[in-house]
Amino acid sequence: DIINHSFYADMLVAVNNKNNSIVARGPYSGYVIGMCSVMDGAVRFTRGRTRQNTANADAVFNLLDLYHAQKEETFSIGVITPYTGQVSLLKARFIERDYDSDFQYRVRIGTVHTFQGSECDVIIFDMVDCSRFEKGKKSYFGRIYAGEQGEQLLNVAISRARHKLIVVCDPEYLEKCPGGIITSKTQTIFNRLLNF
């Protein structure tokens, strides 16, 4: 429903089955979309000029730990982020975790672009960008969220989830959208997400 109006002229038929076992259980029990609020994050640039956010990574692993504790389940989980730097951070931490081999097999971590054309039962979308840089300056959205490219990125990220989408972000930052590069369509999608 979030992308239906903006991208598909309301031609999609969205079916939300809240009785689905994946939707029914936590985190965000009974909701197909959950907002994981990270207010203390800071963006840092890597040597390759991509972005990382360790507070967001911590939040992602809190979610993965909750899913790992549900040992009887076998559904797939995708962790998506726009930045290759955040993918590297998440993959390094994933290797360090003491997850069993079955859970490791069920989790896939990658950029939004690597998920194009595929789906997972649960998608955790780590937006990375937040209200400040590590050096103390006010942050701004990365160019990856700009213009039609940013719209397409959001479309792909949000539509990869079969049953549940969890967005890891700083909601106040989404509300303000600094930098002037976000299109009105992207702003509309952010506003829709903020209602969850």
Side-chain angles (χ1 to χ4, degrees), residues 2-4 6-8 12 80 112 116 125 148-161 185-186 189:
I2 289 176
I3 60 173
N4 196 5
S6 298
F7 292 101
Y8 302 104
L12 296 179
I80 299 179
V112 175
Q116 193 151 8
F125 176 36
E148 288 185 14
Q149 172 185 300
E151 295 172 2
Q152 184 60 30
L153 178 135
L154 282 176
N155 185 8
V156 172
I158 292 169
S159 61
R160 299 306 90 194
K185 191 180 286 188
T186 297
I189 293 167

mmCIF file with all atom_site columns, all heavy atoms in Angstrom, residues 2-4 6-8 12 80 112 116 125 148-161 185-186 189:
data_model
loop_
_atom_site.group_PDB
_atom_site.id
_atom_site.type_symbol
_atom_site.label_atom_id
_atom_site.label_alt_id
_atom_site.label_comp_id
_atom_site.label_asym_id
_atom_site.label_entity_id
_atom_site.label_seq_id
_atom_site.pdbx_PDB_ins_code
_atom_site.Cartn_x
_atom_site.Cartn_y
_atom_site.Cartn_z
_atom_site.occupancy
_atom_site.B_iso_or_equiv
_atom_site.pdbx_formal_charge
_atom_site.auth_seq_id
_atom_site.auth_comp_id
_atom_site.auth_asym_id
_atom_site.auth_atom_id
_atom_site.pdbx_PDB_model_num
ATOM 1   N N   . ILE A 1 2   ? 1.999  1.231  0.676   1.00 0.00 ? 2   ILE A N   1
ATOM 2   C CA  . ILE A 1 2   ? 2.845  2.427  0.766   1.00 0.00 ? 2   ILE A CA  1
ATOM 3   C C   . ILE A 1 2   ? 3.331  2.877  -0.605  1.00 0.00 ? 2   ILE A C   1
ATOM 4   O O   . ILE A 1 2   ? 3.362  4.059  -0.914  1.00 0.00 ? 2   ILE A O   1
ATOM 5   C CB  . ILE A 1 2   ? 4.036  2.176  1.709   1.00 0.00 ? 2   ILE A CB  1
ATOM 6   C CG1 . ILE A 1 2   ? 3.541  2.101  3.148   1.00 0.00 ? 2   ILE A CG1 1
ATOM 7   C CG2 . ILE A 1 2   ? 5.091  3.273  1.585   1.00 0.00 ? 2   ILE A CG2 1
ATOM 8   C CD1 . ILE A 1 2   ? 4.602  1.766  4.141   1.00 0.00 ? 2   ILE A CD1 1
ATOM 9   N N   . ILE A 1 3   ? 3.701  1.931  -1.450  1.00 0.00 ? 3   ILE A N   1
ATOM 10  C CA  . ILE A 1 3   ? 4.228  2.295  -2.767  1.00 0.00 ? 3   ILE A CA  1
ATOM 11  C C   . ILE A 1 3   ? 3.173  2.230  -3.865  1.00 0.00 ? 3   ILE A C   1
ATOM 12  O O   . ILE A 1 3   ? 3.408  2.713  -4.970  1.00 0.00 ? 3   ILE A O   1
ATOM 13  C CB  . ILE A 1 3   ? 5.424  1.390  -3.152  1.00 0.00 ? 3   ILE A CB  1
ATOM 14  C CG1 . ILE A 1 3   ? 5.001  -0.077 -3.188  1.00 0.00 ? 3   ILE A CG1 1
ATOM 15  C CG2 . ILE A 1 3   ? 6.593  1.631  -2.221  1.00 0.00 ? 3   ILE A CG2 1
ATOM 16  C CD1 . ILE A 1 3   ? 6.063  -1.003 -3.713  1.00 0.00 ? 3   ILE A CD1 1
ATOM 17  N N   . ASN A 1 4   ? 2.019  1.671  -3.574  1.00 0.00 ? 4   ASN A N   1
ATOM 18  C CA  . ASN A 1 4   ? 0.997  1.436  -4.590  1.00 0.00 ? 4   ASN A CA  1
ATOM 19  C C   . ASN A 1 4   ? 0.568  2.730  -5.283  1.00 0.00 ? 4   ASN A C   1
ATOM 20  O O   . ASN A 1 4   ? 0.556  2.814  -6.516  1.00 0.00 ? 4   ASN A O   1
ATOM 21  C CB  . ASN A 1 4   ? -0.217 0.747  -3.958  1.00 0.00 ? 4   ASN A CB  1
ATOM 22  C CG  . ASN A 1 4   ? -1.138 0.126  -4.978  1.00 0.00 ? 4   ASN A CG  1
ATOM 23  O OD1 . ASN A 1 4   ? -0.858 0.108  -6.169  1.00 0.00 ? 4   ASN A OD1 1
ATOM 24  N ND2 . ASN A 1 4   ? -2.247 -0.394 -4.513  1.00 0.00 ? 4   ASN A ND2 1
ATOM 25  N N   . SER A 1 6   ? 2.047  5.808  -5.158  1.00 0.00 ? 6   SER A N   1
ATOM 26  C CA  . SER A 1 6   ? 3.155  6.587  -5.696  1.00 0.00 ? 6   SER A CA  1
ATOM 27  C C   . SER A 1 6   ? 3.749  6.005  -6.973  1.00 0.00 ? 6   SER A C   1
ATOM 28  O O   . SER A 1 6   ? 4.136  6.740  -7.871  1.00 0.00 ? 6   SER A O   1
ATOM 29  C CB  . SER A 1 6   ? 4.271  6.709  -4.645  1.00 0.00 ? 6   SER A CB  1
ATOM 30  O OG  . SER A 1 6   ? 3.806  7.395  -3.514  1.00 0.00 ? 6   SER A OG  1
ATOM 31  N N   . PHE A 1 7   ? 3.823  4.683  -7.060  1.00 0.00 ? 7   PHE A N   1
ATOM 32  C CA  . PHE A 1 7   ? 4.529  4.063  -8.178  1.00 0.00 ? 7   PHE A CA  1
ATOM 33  C C   . PHE A 1 7   ? 3.637  3.311  -9.163  1.00 0.00 ? 7   PHE A C   1
ATOM 34  O O   . PHE A 1 7   ? 4.009  3.144  -10.318 1.00 0.00 ? 7   PHE A O   1
ATOM 35  C CB  . PHE A 1 7   ? 5.589  3.086  -7.654  1.00 0.00 ? 7   PHE A CB  1
ATOM 36  C CG  . PHE A 1 7   ? 6.721  3.762  -6.947  1.00 0.00 ? 7   PHE A CG  1
ATOM 37  C CD1 . PHE A 1 7   ? 6.778  3.784  -5.566  1.00 0.00 ? 7   PHE A CD1 1
ATOM 38  C CD2 . PHE A 1 7   ? 7.726  4.391  -7.654  1.00 0.00 ? 7   PHE A CD2 1
ATOM 39  C CE1 . PHE A 1 7   ? 7.818  4.408  -4.899  1.00 0.00 ? 7   PHE A CE1 1
ATOM 40  C CE2 . PHE A 1 7   ? 8.774  5.019  -7.007  1.00 0.00 ? 7   PHE A CE2 1
ATOM 41  C CZ  . PHE A 1 7   ? 8.818  5.029  -5.629  1.00 0.00 ? 7   PHE A CZ  1
ATOM 42  N N   . TYR A 1 8   ? 2.481  2.838  -8.706  1.00 0.00 ? 8   TYR A N   1
ATOM 43  C CA  . TYR A 1 8   ? 1.702  1.931  -9.547  1.00 0.00 ? 8   TYR A CA  1
ATOM 44  C C   . TYR A 1 8   ? 0.263  2.377  -9.771  1.00 0.00 ? 8   TYR A C   1
ATOM 45  O O   . TYR A 1 8   ? -0.576 1.575  -10.171 1.00 0.00 ? 8   TYR A O   1
ATOM 46  C CB  . TYR A 1 8   ? 1.727  0.523  -8.937  1.00 0.00 ? 8   TYR A CB  1
ATOM 47  C CG  . TYR A 1 8   ? 3.128  -0.006 -8.790  1.00 0.00 ? 8   TYR A CG  1
ATOM 48  C CD1 . TYR A 1 8   ? 3.753  -0.045 -7.554  1.00 0.00 ? 8   TYR A CD1 1
ATOM 49  C CD2 . TYR A 1 8   ? 3.849  -0.444 -9.911  1.00 0.00 ? 8   TYR A CD2 1
ATOM 50  C CE1 . TYR A 1 8   ? 5.056  -0.514 -7.419  1.00 0.00 ? 8   TYR A CE1 1
ATOM 51  C CE2 . TYR A 1 8   ? 5.150  -0.912 -9.780  1.00 0.00 ? 8   TYR A CE2 1
ATOM 52  C CZ  . TYR A 1 8   ? 5.738  -0.941 -8.536  1.00 0.00 ? 8   TYR A CZ  1
ATOM 53  O OH  . TYR A 1 8   ? 7.028  -1.402 -8.408  1.00 0.00 ? 8   TYR A OH  1
ATOM 54  N N   . LEU A 1 12  ? -1.955 -2.120 -7.866  1.00 0.00 ? 12  LEU A N   1
ATOM 55  C CA  . LEU A 1 12  ? -1.598 -3.319 -7.109  1.00 0.00 ? 12  LEU A CA  1
ATOM 56  C C   . LEU A 1 12  ? -2.719 -3.674 -6.132  1.00 0.00 ? 12  LEU A C   1
ATOM 57  O O   . LEU A 1 12  ? -3.432 -2.804 -5.639  1.00 0.00 ? 12  LEU A O   1
ATOM 58  C CB  . LEU A 1 12  ? -0.323 -3.093 -6.300  1.00 0.00 ? 12  LEU A CB  1
ATOM 59  C CG  . LEU A 1 12  ? 0.965  -2.818 -7.069  1.00 0.00 ? 12  LEU A CG  1
ATOM 60  C CD1 . LEU A 1 12  ? 2.110  -2.606 -6.088  1.00 0.00 ? 12  LEU A CD1 1
ATOM 61  C CD2 . LEU A 1 12  ? 1.295  -3.952 -8.013  1.00 0.00 ? 12  LEU A CD2 1
ATOM 62  N N   . ILE A 1 80  ? 18.649 -5.166 4.343   1.00 0.00 ? 80  ILE A N   1
ATOM 63  C CA  . ILE A 1 80  ? 18.924 -4.325 3.188   1.00 0.00 ? 80  ILE A CA  1
ATOM 64  C C   . ILE A 1 80  ? 19.375 -2.943 3.659   1.00 0.00 ? 80  ILE A C   1
ATOM 65  O O   . ILE A 1 80  ? 18.804 -2.385 4.598   1.00 0.00 ? 80  ILE A O   1
ATOM 66  C CB  . ILE A 1 80  ? 17.663 -4.144 2.316   1.00 0.00 ? 80  ILE A CB  1
ATOM 67  C CG1 . ILE A 1 80  ? 17.164 -5.475 1.789   1.00 0.00 ? 80  ILE A CG1 1
ATOM 68  C CG2 . ILE A 1 80  ? 17.923 -3.194 1.165   1.00 0.00 ? 80  ILE A CG2 1
ATOM 69  C CD1 . ILE A 1 80  ? 15.904 -5.349 0.954   1.00 0.00 ? 80  ILE A CD1 1
ATOM 70  N N   . VAL A 1 112 ? 20.497 -2.572 -1.411  1.00 0.00 ? 112 VAL A N   1
ATOM 71  C CA  . VAL A 1 112 ? 19.171 -2.596 -2.040  1.00 0.00 ? 112 VAL A CA  1
ATOM 72  C C   . VAL A 1 112 ? 19.284 -3.172 -3.447  1.00 0.00 ? 112 VAL A C   1
ATOM 73  O O   . VAL A 1 112 ? 18.471 -4.004 -3.866  1.00 0.00 ? 112 VAL A O   1
ATOM 74  C CB  . VAL A 1 112 ? 18.560 -1.181 -2.074  1.00 0.00 ? 112 VAL A CB  1
ATOM 75  C CG1 . VAL A 1 112 ? 17.237 -1.184 -2.834  1.00 0.00 ? 112 VAL A CG1 1
ATOM 76  C CG2 . VAL A 1 112 ? 18.359 -0.642 -0.662  1.00 0.00 ? 112 VAL A CG2 1
ATOM 77  N N   . GLN A 1 116 ? 17.340 -6.584 -5.780  1.00 0.00 ? 116 GLN A N   1
ATOM 78  C CA  . GLN A 1 116 ? 16.377 -6.335 -6.844  1.00 0.00 ? 116 GLN A CA  1
ATOM 79  C C   . GLN A 1 116 ? 16.006 -7.657 -7.519  1.00 0.00 ? 116 GLN A C   1
ATOM 80  O O   . GLN A 1 116 ? 16.864 -8.443 -7.891  1.00 0.00 ? 116 GLN A O   1
ATOM 81  C CB  . GLN A 1 116 ? 16.965 -5.368 -7.882  1.00 0.00 ? 116 GLN A CB  1
ATOM 82  C CG  . GLN A 1 116 ? 15.930 -4.821 -8.825  1.00 0.00 ? 116 GLN A CG  1
ATOM 83  C CD  . GLN A 1 116 ? 16.289 -3.436 -9.335  1.00 0.00 ? 116 GLN A CD  1
ATOM 84  O OE1 . GLN A 1 116 ? 17.379 -2.947 -9.105  1.00 0.00 ? 116 GLN A OE1 1
ATOM 85  N NE2 . GLN A 1 116 ? 15.373 -2.811 -10.026 1.00 0.00 ? 116 GLN A NE2 1
ATOM 86  N N   . PHE A 1 125 ? 15.112 -3.043 6.765   1.00 0.00 ? 125 PHE A N   1
ATOM 87  C CA  . PHE A 1 125 ? 15.673 -1.997 5.917   1.00 0.00 ? 125 PHE A CA  1
ATOM 88  C C   . PHE A 1 125 ? 16.395 -0.978 6.796   1.00 0.00 ? 125 PHE A C   1
ATOM 89  O O   . PHE A 1 125 ? 15.764 -0.206 7.511   1.00 0.00 ? 125 PHE A O   1
ATOM 90  C CB  . PHE A 1 125 ? 14.567 -1.327 5.091   1.00 0.00 ? 125 PHE A CB  1
ATOM 91  C CG  . PHE A 1 125 ? 15.016 -0.172 4.238   1.00 0.00 ? 125 PHE A CG  1
ATOM 92  C CD1 . PHE A 1 125 ? 16.260 -0.168 3.608   1.00 0.00 ? 125 PHE A CD1 1
ATOM 93  C CD2 . PHE A 1 125 ? 14.187 0.915  4.046   1.00 0.00 ? 125 PHE A CD2 1
ATOM 94  C CE1 . PHE A 1 125 ? 16.668 0.894  2.824   1.00 0.00 ? 125 PHE A CE1 1
ATOM 95  C CE2 . PHE A 1 125 ? 14.574 1.990  3.256   1.00 0.00 ? 125 PHE A CE2 1
ATOM 96  C CZ  . PHE A 1 125 ? 15.822 1.977  2.643   1.00 0.00 ? 125 PHE A CZ  1
ATOM 97  N N   . GLU A 1 148 ? 14.978 10.606 -8.849  1.00 0.00 ? 148 GLU A N   1
ATOM 98  C CA  . GLU A 1 148 ? 14.290 9.367  -9.240  1.00 0.00 ? 148 GLU A CA  1
ATOM 99  C C   . GLU A 1 148 ? 15.045 8.138  -8.761  1.00 0.00 ? 148 GLU A C   1
ATOM 100 O O   . GLU A 1 148 ? 14.436 7.108  -8.480  1.00 0.00 ? 148 GLU A O   1
ATOM 101 C CB  . GLU A 1 148 ? 14.101 9.329  -10.755 1.00 0.00 ? 148 GLU A CB  1
ATOM 102 C CG  . GLU A 1 148 ? 13.051 10.300 -11.258 1.00 0.00 ? 148 GLU A CG  1
ATOM 103 C CD  . GLU A 1 148 ? 12.798 10.163 -12.749 1.00 0.00 ? 148 GLU A CD  1
ATOM 104 O OE1 . GLU A 1 148 ? 13.227 9.149  -13.348 1.00 0.00 ? 148 GLU A OE1 1
ATOM 105 O OE2 . GLU A 1 148 ? 12.176 11.069 -13.308 1.00 0.00 ? 148 GLU A OE2 1
ATOM 106 N N   . GLN A 1 149 ? 16.367 8.229  -8.669  1.00 0.00 ? 149 GLN A N   1
ATOM 107 C CA  . GLN A 1 149 ? 17.162 7.106  -8.156  1.00 0.00 ? 149 GLN A CA  1
ATOM 108 C C   . GLN A 1 149 ? 16.749 6.788  -6.724  1.00 0.00 ? 149 GLN A C   1
ATOM 109 O O   . GLN A 1 149 ? 16.617 5.622  -6.345  1.00 0.00 ? 149 GLN A O   1
ATOM 110 C CB  . GLN A 1 149 ? 18.647 7.447  -8.202  1.00 0.00 ? 149 GLN A CB  1
ATOM 111 C CG  . GLN A 1 149 ? 19.529 6.415  -7.512  1.00 0.00 ? 149 GLN A CG  1
ATOM 112 C CD  . GLN A 1 149 ? 20.982 6.832  -7.468  1.00 0.00 ? 149 GLN A CD  1
ATOM 113 O OE1 . GLN A 1 149 ? 21.601 7.045  -8.494  1.00 0.00 ? 149 GLN A OE1 1
ATOM 114 N NE2 . GLN A 1 149 ? 21.535 6.955  -6.270  1.00 0.00 ? 149 GLN A NE2 1
ATOM 115 N N   . GLY A 1 150 ? 16.553 7.823  -5.923  1.00 0.00 ? 150 GLY A N   1
ATOM 116 C CA  . GLY A 1 150 ? 16.118 7.623  -4.537  1.00 0.00 ? 150 GLY A CA  1
ATOM 117 C C   . GLY A 1 150 ? 14.729 7.013  -4.455  1.00 0.00 ? 150 GLY A C   1
ATOM 118 O O   . GLY A 1 150 ? 14.461 6.163  -3.611  1.00 0.00 ? 150 GLY A O   1
ATOM 119 N N   . GLU A 1 151 ? 13.841 7.457  -5.342  1.00 0.00 ? 151 GLU A N   1
ATOM 120 C CA  . GLU A 1 151 ? 12.493 6.883  -5.392  1.00 0.00 ? 151 GLU A CA  1
ATOM 121 C C   . GLU A 1 151 ? 12.554 5.395  -5.709  1.00 0.00 ? 151 GLU A C   1
ATOM 122 O O   . GLU A 1 151 ? 11.882 4.577  -5.076  1.00 0.00 ? 151 GLU A O   1
ATOM 123 C CB  . GLU A 1 151 ? 11.658 7.602  -6.447  1.00 0.00 ? 151 GLU A CB  1
ATOM 124 C CG  . GLU A 1 151 ? 11.381 9.051  -6.145  1.00 0.00 ? 151 GLU A CG  1
ATOM 125 C CD  . GLU A 1 151 ? 10.724 9.786  -7.312  1.00 0.00 ? 151 GLU A CD  1
ATOM 126 O OE1 . GLU A 1 151 ? 10.447 9.136  -8.350  1.00 0.00 ? 151 GLU A OE1 1
ATOM 127 O OE2 . GLU A 1 151 ? 10.491 10.991 -7.179  1.00 0.00 ? 151 GLU A OE2 1
ATOM 128 N N   . GLN A 1 152 ? 13.367 5.044  -6.713  1.00 0.00 ? 152 GLN A N   1
ATOM 129 C CA  . GLN A 1 152 ? 13.491 3.642  -7.124  1.00 0.00 ? 152 GLN A CA  1
ATOM 130 C C   . GLN A 1 152 ? 14.103 2.805  -6.004  1.00 0.00 ? 152 GLN A C   1
ATOM 131 O O   . GLN A 1 152 ? 13.685 1.672  -5.759  1.00 0.00 ? 152 GLN A O   1
ATOM 132 C CB  . GLN A 1 152 ? 14.332 3.536  -8.400  1.00 0.00 ? 152 GLN A CB  1
ATOM 133 C CG  . GLN A 1 152 ? 14.442 2.137  -8.958  1.00 0.00 ? 152 GLN A CG  1
ATOM 134 C CD  . GLN A 1 152 ? 13.098 1.532  -9.326  1.00 0.00 ? 152 GLN A CD  1
ATOM 135 O OE1 . GLN A 1 152 ? 12.170 2.234  -9.699  1.00 0.00 ? 152 GLN A OE1 1
ATOM 136 N NE2 . GLN A 1 152 ? 12.988 0.219  -9.212  1.00 0.00 ? 152 GLN A NE2 1
ATOM 137 N N   . LEU A 1 153 ? 15.088 3.376  -5.303  1.00 0.00 ? 153 LEU A N   1
ATOM 138 C CA  . LEU A 1 153 ? 15.720 2.675  -4.194  1.00 0.00 ? 153 LEU A CA  1
ATOM 139 C C   . LEU A 1 153 ? 14.682 2.319  -3.132  1.00 0.00 ? 153 LEU A C   1
ATOM 140 O O   . LEU A 1 153 ? 14.627 1.180  -2.666  1.00 0.00 ? 153 LEU A O   1
ATOM 141 C CB  . LEU A 1 153 ? 16.825 3.552  -3.607  1.00 0.00 ? 153 LEU A CB  1
ATOM 142 C CG  . LEU A 1 153 ? 17.562 2.989  -2.402  1.00 0.00 ? 153 LEU A CG  1
ATOM 143 C CD1 . LEU A 1 153 ? 19.067 3.181  -2.572  1.00 0.00 ? 153 LEU A CD1 1
ATOM 144 C CD2 . LEU A 1 153 ? 17.103 3.651  -1.116  1.00 0.00 ? 153 LEU A CD2 1
ATOM 145 N N   . LEU A 1 154 ? 13.852 3.291  -2.765  1.00 0.00 ? 154 LEU A N   1
ATOM 146 C CA  . LEU A 1 154 ? 12.811 3.032  -1.764  1.00 0.00 ? 154 LEU A CA  1
ATOM 147 C C   . LEU A 1 154 ? 11.798 2.008  -2.262  1.00 0.00 ? 154 LEU A C   1
ATOM 148 O O   . LEU A 1 154 ? 11.363 1.135  -1.516  1.00 0.00 ? 154 LEU A O   1
ATOM 149 C CB  . LEU A 1 154 ? 12.096 4.331  -1.403  1.00 0.00 ? 154 LEU A CB  1
ATOM 150 C CG  . LEU A 1 154 ? 12.828 5.256  -0.444  1.00 0.00 ? 154 LEU A CG  1
ATOM 151 C CD1 . LEU A 1 154 ? 12.039 6.540  -0.257  1.00 0.00 ? 154 LEU A CD1 1
ATOM 152 C CD2 . LEU A 1 154 ? 13.067 4.585  0.896   1.00 0.00 ? 154 LEU A CD2 1
ATOM 153 N N   . ASN A 1 155 ? 11.427 2.112  -3.509  1.00 0.00 ? 155 ASN A N   1
ATOM 154 C CA  . ASN A 1 155 ? 10.472 1.168  -4.092  1.00 0.00 ? 155 ASN A CA  1
ATOM 155 C C   . ASN A 1 155 ? 10.993 -0.260 -3.959  1.00 0.00 ? 155 ASN A C   1
ATOM 156 O O   . ASN A 1 155 ? 10.286 -1.159 -3.499  1.00 0.00 ? 155 ASN A O   1
ATOM 157 C CB  . ASN A 1 155 ? 10.213 1.523  -5.553  1.00 0.00 ? 155 ASN A CB  1
ATOM 158 C CG  . ASN A 1 155 ? 9.156  0.667  -6.203  1.00 0.00 ? 155 ASN A CG  1
ATOM 159 O OD1 . ASN A 1 155 ? 8.474  -0.122 -5.548  1.00 0.00 ? 155 ASN A OD1 1
ATOM 160 N ND2 . ASN A 1 155 ? 9.003  0.802  -7.506  1.00 0.00 ? 155 ASN A ND2 1
ATOM 161 N N   . VAL A 1 156 ? 12.241 -0.467 -4.354  1.00 0.00 ? 156 VAL A N   1
ATOM 162 C CA  . VAL A 1 156 ? 12.829 -1.806 -4.283  1.00 0.00 ? 156 VAL A CA  1
ATOM 163 C C   . VAL A 1 156 ? 12.937 -2.266 -2.832  1.00 0.00 ? 156 VAL A C   1
ATOM 164 O O   . VAL A 1 156 ? 12.530 -3.379 -2.483  1.00 0.00 ? 156 VAL A O   1
ATOM 165 C CB  . VAL A 1 156 ? 14.214 -1.845 -4.969  1.00 0.00 ? 156 VAL A CB  1
ATOM 166 C CG1 . VAL A 1 156 ? 14.905 -3.188 -4.733  1.00 0.00 ? 156 VAL A CG1 1
ATOM 167 C CG2 . VAL A 1 156 ? 14.073 -1.581 -6.465  1.00 0.00 ? 156 VAL A CG2 1
ATOM 168 N N   . ALA A 1 157 ? 13.470 -1.403 -1.956  1.00 0.00 ? 157 ALA A N   1
ATOM 169 C CA  . ALA A 1 157 ? 13.693 -1.793 -0.556  1.00 0.00 ? 157 ALA A CA  1
ATOM 170 C C   . ALA A 1 157 ? 12.397 -2.200 0.134   1.00 0.00 ? 157 ALA A C   1
ATOM 171 O O   . ALA A 1 157 ? 12.331 -3.229 0.814   1.00 0.00 ? 157 ALA A O   1
ATOM 172 C CB  . ALA A 1 157 ? 14.357 -0.638 0.201   1.00 0.00 ? 157 ALA A CB  1
ATOM 173 N N   . ILE A 1 158 ? 11.364 -1.394 -0.046  1.00 0.00 ? 158 ILE A N   1
ATOM 174 C CA  . ILE A 1 158 ? 10.100 -1.641 0.661   1.00 0.00 ? 158 ILE A CA  1
ATOM 175 C C   . ILE A 1 158 ? 9.343  -2.831 0.093   1.00 0.00 ? 158 ILE A C   1
ATOM 176 O O   . ILE A 1 158 ? 8.649  -3.539 0.818   1.00 0.00 ? 158 ILE A O   1
ATOM 177 C CB  . ILE A 1 158 ? 9.236  -0.359 0.619   1.00 0.00 ? 158 ILE A CB  1
ATOM 178 C CG1 . ILE A 1 158 ? 9.904  0.726  1.475   1.00 0.00 ? 158 ILE A CG1 1
ATOM 179 C CG2 . ILE A 1 158 ? 7.831  -0.612 1.112   1.00 0.00 ? 158 ILE A CG2 1
ATOM 180 C CD1 . ILE A 1 158 ? 9.298  2.091  1.304   1.00 0.00 ? 158 ILE A CD1 1
ATOM 181 N N   . SER A 1 159 ? 9.499  -3.080 -1.183  1.00 0.00 ? 159 SER A N   1
ATOM 182 C CA  . SER A 1 159 ? 8.707  -4.140 -1.825  1.00 0.00 ? 159 SER A CA  1
ATOM 183 C C   . SER A 1 159 ? 9.377  -5.510 -1.807  1.00 0.00 ? 159 SER A C   1
ATOM 184 O O   . SER A 1 159 ? 8.863  -6.460 -2.397  1.00 0.00 ? 159 SER A O   1
ATOM 185 C CB  . SER A 1 159 ? 8.372  -3.744 -3.266  1.00 0.00 ? 159 SER A CB  1
ATOM 186 O OG  . SER A 1 159 ? 9.554  -3.577 -4.025  1.00 0.00 ? 159 SER A OG  1
ATOM 187 N N   . ARG A 1 160 ? 10.502 -5.665 -1.111  1.00 0.00 ? 160 ARG A N   1
ATOM 188 C CA  . ARG A 1 160 ? 11.182 -6.973 -1.046  1.00 0.00 ? 160 ARG A CA  1
ATOM 189 C C   . ARG A 1 160 ? 10.578 -7.891 0.022   1.00 0.00 ? 160 ARG A C   1
ATOM 190 O O   . ARG A 1 160 ? 10.889 -9.079 0.067   1.00 0.00 ? 160 ARG A O   1
ATOM 191 C CB  . ARG A 1 160 ? 12.673 -6.809 -0.753  1.00 0.00 ? 160 ARG A CB  1
ATOM 192 C CG  . ARG A 1 160 ? 13.495 -6.029 -1.777  1.00 0.00 ? 160 ARG A CG  1
ATOM 193 C CD  . ARG A 1 160 ? 13.381 -6.554 -3.184  1.00 0.00 ? 160 ARG A CD  1
ATOM 194 N NE  . ARG A 1 160 ? 12.282 -5.890 -3.879  1.00 0.00 ? 160 ARG A NE  1
ATOM 195 C CZ  . ARG A 1 160 ? 11.761 -6.301 -5.020  1.00 0.00 ? 160 ARG A CZ  1
ATOM 196 N NH1 . ARG A 1 160 ? 12.199 -7.400 -5.595  1.00 0.00 ? 160 ARG A NH1 1
ATOM 197 N NH2 . ARG A 1 160 ? 10.776 -5.642 -5.587  1.00 0.00 ? 160 ARG A NH2 1
ATOM 198 N N   . ALA A 1 161 ? 9.757  -7.343 0.911   1.00 0.00 ? 161 ALA A N   1
ATOM 199 C CA  . ALA A 1 161 ? 9.219  -8.131 2.030   1.00 0.00 ? 161 ALA A CA  1
ATOM 200 C C   . ALA A 1 161 ? 7.964  -8.879 1.617   1.00 0.00 ? 161 ALA A C   1
ATOM 201 O O   . ALA A 1 161 ? 7.020  -8.283 1.114   1.00 0.00 ? 161 ALA A O   1
ATOM 202 C CB  . ALA A 1 161 ? 8.913  -7.208 3.212   1.00 0.00 ? 161 ALA A CB  1
ATOM 203 N N   . LYS A 1 185 ? 7.779  12.669 -3.967  1.00 0.00 ? 185 LYS A N   1
ATOM 204 C CA  . LYS A 1 185 ? 7.328  11.271 -3.903  1.00 0.00 ? 185 LYS A CA  1
ATOM 205 C C   . LYS A 1 185 ? 8.039  10.528 -2.772  1.00 0.00 ? 185 LYS A C   1
ATOM 206 O O   . LYS A 1 185 ? 7.411  9.791  -2.007  1.00 0.00 ? 185 LYS A O   1
ATOM 207 C CB  . LYS A 1 185 ? 7.590  10.581 -5.243  1.00 0.00 ? 185 LYS A CB  1
ATOM 208 C CG  . LYS A 1 185 ? 6.937  9.219  -5.373  1.00 0.00 ? 185 LYS A CG  1
ATOM 209 C CD  . LYS A 1 185 ? 7.233  8.568  -6.712  1.00 0.00 ? 185 LYS A CD  1
ATOM 210 C CE  . LYS A 1 185 ? 6.452  9.203  -7.824  1.00 0.00 ? 185 LYS A CE  1
ATOM 211 N NZ  . LYS A 1 185 ? 6.585  8.456  -9.104  1.00 0.00 ? 185 LYS A NZ  1
ATOM 212 N N   . THR A 1 186 ? 9.349  10.741 -2.666  1.00 0.00 ? 186 THR A N   1
ATOM 213 C CA  . THR A 1 186 ? 10.109 10.120 -1.581  1.00 0.00 ? 186 THR A CA  1
ATOM 214 C C   . THR A 1 186 ? 9.628  10.637 -0.234  1.00 0.00 ? 186 THR A C   1
ATOM 215 O O   . THR A 1 186 ? 9.455  9.872  0.714   1.00 0.00 ? 186 THR A O   1
ATOM 216 C CB  . THR A 1 186 ? 11.615 10.394 -1.756  1.00 0.00 ? 186 THR A CB  1
ATOM 217 O OG1 . THR A 1 186 ? 12.050 9.778  -2.971  1.00 0.00 ? 186 THR A OG1 1
ATOM 218 C CG2 . THR A 1 186 ? 12.430 9.843  -0.603  1.00 0.00 ? 186 THR A CG2 1
ATOM 219 N N   . ILE A 1 189 ? 6.477  8.906  0.767   1.00 0.00 ? 189 ILE A N   1
ATOM 220 C CA  . ILE A 1 189 ? 6.729  7.552  1.264   1.00 0.00 ? 189 ILE A CA  1
ATOM 221 C C   . ILE A 1 189 ? 7.268  7.607  2.689   1.00 0.00 ? 189 ILE A C   1
ATOM 222 O O   . ILE A 1 189 ? 6.839  6.839  3.557   1.00 0.00 ? 189 ILE A O   1
ATOM 223 C CB  . ILE A 1 189 ? 7.689  6.796  0.321   1.00 0.00 ? 189 ILE A CB  1
ATOM 224 C CG1 . ILE A 1 189 ? 7.009  6.556  -1.022  1.00 0.00 ? 189 ILE A CG1 1
ATOM 225 C CG2 . ILE A 1 189 ? 8.132  5.469  0.937   1.00 0.00 ? 189 ILE A CG2 1
ATOM 226 C CD1 . ILE A 1 189 ? 7.929  6.112  -2.117  1.00 0.00 ? 189 ILE A CD1 1
#
